[in-house]
Amino acid sequence: MPVPIPRQRAIPAAESGQAQGAFSPGGPSGAATGGPAGAAPAPHAATTPVDSTTNLTLLVIEDDPAGSLSVPEMLDAAGKPIRIRTARNLTEAERLLTDDVHCILLDLALPAPGRAATESDDELTTLKHVLRLAPRHAVLALTASGDAERGAEAVRVGAQDYLFRDELDGRLLSRAIRYAVERKRSDKAERRLTESRLRAQENARLERGLLPTPLLEGSSLRFAARYRPGRSRALLGGDFYDTVRTPDGTVHAMIGDVCGHGPDEAALGVELRIAWRALTFAGLCGDELLSTLQQVLEHERENDEIFATLCTVDIAPDGRRAGLCLAGHPSPLISRPGRPAELLPYENGGPALGLLHGARWPRRQVELGGEWSLMLYTDGLIEGHIGEGKERLGQDGMVDLVRRRLAEGLTGEELLRATVNEVRDLNGGELTDDVAVLLLDRTP
């Protein structure tokens, strides 16, 4: 038995632009019927964006054998005819609901699938079915005259507006269609904006939770840190740092940098930081700790080209000396009263983690003195450009910059903030790489 082809009406004026009289579906006026037999339904496709070159298309869903429902010829805001398709039931509607339909006019009197018209335990069952069928389309509800309560309920359920059945005219209906389409577009944009905002808030909470909380209870050292990810609108990058005090009174600090500054690098940096903290509390330091961290990196990285630089410092309980290990990382900066700020001397450091299997990282003992300020940083602080040329700030430029800020009397958070801001200004804008700076001060 051949399957009947659902009707797809088209007012001649909608195709030719010529004026026509009122159109009554199913009535004696004889509209052209029959749509393209091979038209593929796309009930879940996004509606075609409306612009000055696009004709609006209305899908009318109604069952009116008497032909009393008259849908007049309508023009959109640009004066172009609005195309009309009709379906007598939801099965036909689903076949005609292609992605070029912009609005649906639904007769609320139409019975739901598998439900007799006299059953009214839920008068809006048909509307709810259409809303599920076409969640991205604008919907206008058609109800009996004077039944404003039912129309308002339809809007509450999800329709964009409602109209009275016997009050349809071209101007009212065309205006209602344009309004419904724009309101649906506005609702979708607002929903996407809300979802994006909630997602950003959730990401921000997650990233803030992944930033370290220094554990320095019982230590006389002062701690400060500054962090600026290279990713736009991010709170966390591939740089990482941490500071803890172990039960023997030793203060351990570290700073590292995973190559790259995307979300995968940020996640790997967090893993390495947490692993470093756990290994430090377990009593590891120097070469043994870095060898274990390299194993963690090798197991967690996405590919063999990922590596990380690292600087670790363990400060003795008396605060006067420290052990220093560098894994492909720039040497810390130390400032002491009566002496210019300088880089800690260090030769024969080990390679970055993840580059050489079986590498070693020697630990060097350095004298700090009785009063000092130690700054650990990532290469994002020294690789910014100077002016419009290709010249970079470099370690020497950073040392001069910090010396000037120290001469101004800046310390702690103020010193770090001024340093990072000046590096950014010298670069002529935001730095493209992540920047992390950690400062430990000892003042008798």
Side-chain angles (χ1 to χ4, degrees), residues 163-238:
L163 300 169
F164 293 131
R165 184 182 182 89
D166 60 353
E167 295 181 6
L168 290 181
D169 63 66
R171 292 183 60 188
L172 173 64
L173 184 54
S174 62
R175 185 171 65 244
I177 293 171
R178 296 196 302 270
Y179 168 79
V181 169
E182 291 303 321
R183 180 175 177 181
K184 185 66 176 182
R185 182 185 293 113
S186 176
D187 290 344
K188 289 192 292 185
E190 181 65 24
R191 183 170 62 252
R192 286 195 297 267
L193 180 62
T194 300
E195 292 172 352
S196 176
R197 186 182 296 115
L198 292 175
R199 187 162 51 249
Q201 292 173 352
E202 183 65 23
N203 289 340
R205 284 193 295 268
L206 175 62
E207 291 181 332
R208 278 194 297 267
L210 294 175
L211 289 172
T213 300
L215 300 178
L216 290 174
E217 185 176 357
S219 173
S220 60
L221 300 183
R222 294 186 305 171
F223 170 88
R226 194 77 174 167
Y227 196 96
R228 186 190 294 272
R231 287 186 297 142
S232 176
R233 300 181 181 179
L235 294 177
L236 198 64

Side-chain angles (χ1 to χ4, degrees), residues 143-151 162-167:
T143 187
S145 297
D147 196 359
E149 182 176 350
R150 191 182 187 190
Y162 69 92
L163 300 169
F164 293 131
R165 184 182 182 89
D166 60 353
E167 295 181 6

